[in-house]
Structures are given as structure tokens and as C-alpha cells.
Amino acid sequence: MGKPDIRRIAPKPQRLKRVRVAAYARVSTDHERQLSSIAAQVSYYSHLIHSTLGWEYAGVFIDEGVTGTSTKHRDEFHEMMGSARAGGIDIVLCKSISRLARNTVDLLETVRELRTLGVTIRFERENIDTATADGELLLTLLASFAQEESRSMSKNVKWGIRKKYATGGLHSRQPYGYKYKASDLVIVEDEAEVVKRVFTQFLVGESPEAIAEELNSEGIKPRRGKAFQGQVLRKILENETYTGTVILQQHYRPEIANAAVTVNTGELPRYLVTRSHPPIISPDQFQAVRDELTRRRQLGRGATPSARTCGLTSRIECSVCGRFYHRRTKTRRDKRYKFWWCETATKGKGNPCHAPQIRHTLLTNICADTLGWTEWDDEQALHQLKRMIAHPDGTLTIHTTTSDTPVVVNIHENRQS
């Protein structure tokens, strides 16, 4: 028997496992230079992932114009995390730690969650890979430096803004009707015409909601968003900027991490600057609007009838919880009708007050009969109706300015008649 022939069996070629790779980038402002940097990063990471053997493109996630001190308002960041949780990412590439987070707590929470999901992060500038043993220690140290750098930069920016305020300089104030040209506010003519219209129509008795609805029906759009809202027009009516005057440093951000902007009630100096820029509204018209706003607030929310308010608004009270009745619309097959119901019941948590629903037409007929009118009149209701109290048994106590004795009616009896 001869010598055995021994040959090594070559292993079968392993199928290359493709690694799903994503990248994350962020800039804190919409400045053109930073947006150009973002475009370069997107191009760089897309090419890197597509050209690396064994890598599979899992997306490039970009947040533009958002701060790194919190992850709360970063939509693309949350989309990336959602993809990781769904098992769609194995590696995340990031230019630097500060691009992912300037807050140490947020950074470590993110890294640790991704690690439990089997996802690693590679930070290019710091040359850190969270897959390594010493990755988290380095991250903790470097993230602390990034957080302190962010705090220092924030202080410097705030100092510059406050020095600017002290000399009458504007900062980031670009209300509807104006735009910046160099460092000056200039009038945008078509928007200024809308502003003038809002002030004029308000003074002749229209509500901000009615004006907004009219503008929207004509296809006139705000600078941002799809449609005008009543609350936005109220801010326009209350903004002294339209008279060419500004009050600087009305708000500020406290020196606390992630603090919200708050009203300045004397914590910092405020500055009144007149003839700061061209006016759209005269001081007399602005003061007239201010006086009218005060008058309507004293009368109550329903002081000016509109598409959303009427002479009954804020005048119907629930006898059980004391909240106002709200007007709602109900659709049944092809029929639509308006009705009033206690605010507690309209919140979708049942009807603990046992408050009766009252149809709008029935309620206006009852009030017109009580006040001796031939038909309902919103404007007269503002002056003659004090308040109404709705009871669970269907009775309605009506207090008017024309009589010291309230009138009690039964809505069920009136509905039958």
C-alpha cells in the first residue's frame, strides 16, 4: 500500500455580507455657506457608501437650520433612529461629534441605544468608532468639550446681539410686510397692502378670523404656511413694528441648558427705537386698533361676529362645570347643522355634566323670542345678552341687559313646538 495522498480542501467562498451604511449631517443655520457645506457632505457620503465594496446605501439624513444642543426638533435625526430601530442600518457615518449632538446626555443616550440595536457610529474628525472598547470613554470626554464649546459660542453670540440692541440695531426681525436689504428693513409692497387691509377691516368691525377667511378665499397666502389664521392676524394688529417703531429685547433665553425663550419683564434692558424703518401703518391707526382690541376683550370673545364667532360665543355656561358652550358642526348623510355643547363634553371624554346639545337655529330662535325680536341679530345680541346657563334637565336660564329678572325656557318644549 503506497503513501496516502493528502490534499487540503479549499473552503467554499463565503458570500460577502453587505453592511447597510447611512450618514448623518447637520447645520445650525440656513446660511448659504452652511447649506453649501451640507451639499458637499451629502455628495461625499453618497459617493463613499456607493463606492465601498460590501457597503449598501441606507440613506443620508440631513437636518438644516436646527441646533445641536437638543435632538427634540430634528426630524431627519428621528427618521434615522426609526430606520435603525427597524433594522435598516448597521453603521452610521458622521463628520464629527458636534454634528450629532452638543449635549453630552443626548449623545451618550443615542450611542448606547444604537449599540443595543447593533449599530455603530464612526466619527470622522475625531477618528472614533463606537464598535471599539475605548469608544465610549473618548466620546464622553470629547462630548463634554463640544458642549462647553457650544455654551461659549452661545454666550458670544448673545453678547453681540445685546451690544447691537444697545445701539438701536435690529436683529432677525422680519415681519410680514418687510424684508431685510443689507441691514435695513424695507417694505414689501404687496404684503404691505395686505397689512393695511387687515388694520382697516378690523377697525370697521370685522374679526381677525373673518379677515383671514376672506384673504384665504381670494388665494392670498402668508409668507409661510398654506393659509392665514386669525391668531396670526392678531399678532400683526398688535405689532408696533408697522409704525416704524421697534422695542428691542422684548424676549430672551435664560442661561440654562435648553431653556425656552421667555418674555423680558426687566431681567435685561429693553430699548425703544422710533423712526427705525419706513412705516406701513400710522401711529394714530395703530392706537385706534389697540383701543378696539381692548374694547373687544372687555366685551368677551364674541365681541365681533365672524365665521367662527357670533353673539352667543362665551355667553352660554354649563351649570355643572361652569365652562362655556362651544359651537360645533355635525354632518348626517347630506345634512349639516351647527349645535352648541359644553366644552367638557366636546373634548371627547364622554359627557360627565350631562349637558344637553342645543341646535344653533333653535337657540337663536329662543333668544330672539325672549328679547322680542322678529329675527336673530348678532350685533344686538352682543349688547342685550348677558349670559345663559344651560342645565342638564334641558332648561336654559337667560340673563339680559333689558331686564333684571332672568327668563327660564325649556329647550325640549321649544324643539317640539
Side-chain angles (χ1 to χ4, degrees), residues 184-196:
D184 298 322
L185 275 183
V186 297
I187 293 174
V188 180
E189 293 298 340
D190 57 339
E191 294 182 358
E193 290 303 314
V194 176
V195 172
K196 292 175 184 177

Side-chain angles (χ1 to χ4, degrees), residues 190-291:
D190 57 339
E191 294 182 358
E193 290 303 314
V194 176
V195 172
K196 292 175 184 177
R197 177 176 170 179
V198 171
F199 275 80
T200 300
Q201 291 185 209
F202 180 79
L203 284 176
V204 297
E206 291 191 48
S207 71
E209 287 77 13
I211 300 170
E213 191 165 296
E214 191 176 322
L215 292 172
N216 295 332
S217 68
E218 296 175 17
I220 300 173
K221 295 186 178 296
R223 189 178 296 164
R224 297 181 181 86
K226 296 181 180 179
F228 280 102
Q229 303 290 334
Q231 61 184 1
V232 173
L233 297 190
R234 278 191 174 83
K235 290 181 179 178
I236 288 178
L237 292 167
E238 294 173 339
N239 193 343
E240 71 284 336
T241 303
Y242 295 109
T243 66
T245 298
V246 291
I247 300 175
L248 302 178
Q249 205 155 255
Q250 295 188 70
H251 302 84
Y252 76 105
R253 192 184 296 276
E255 300 289 344
I256 304 171
N258 300 327
V261 173
T262 186
V263 176
N264 179 11
T265 58
E267 293 82 359
L268 295 171
R270 295 193 301 166
Y271 306 95
L272 174 67
V273 184
T274 56
R275 299 185 298 280
S276 165
H277 53 275
I280 294 175
I281 300 300
S282 72
D284 290 342
Q285 189 177 23
F286 182 75
Q287 186 59 49
V289 165
R290 178 172 286 180
D291 293 341

Side-chain angles (χ1 to χ4, degrees), residues 27-65:
V27 292
S28 56
T29 71
D30 291 324
H31 194 280
E32 185 176 348
R33 188 168 56 198
Q34 289 213 347
L35 294 182
S36 175
S37 169
I38 276 288
Q41 289 183 60
V42 172
S43 176
Y44 166 74
Y45 284 122
S46 297
H47 179 266
L48 176 65
I49 295 170
H50 283 298
S51 62
T52 301
L53 185 65
W55 280 10
E56 180 180 316
Y57 183 80
V60 176
F61 301 87
I62 308 294
D63 279 312
E64 300 176 6

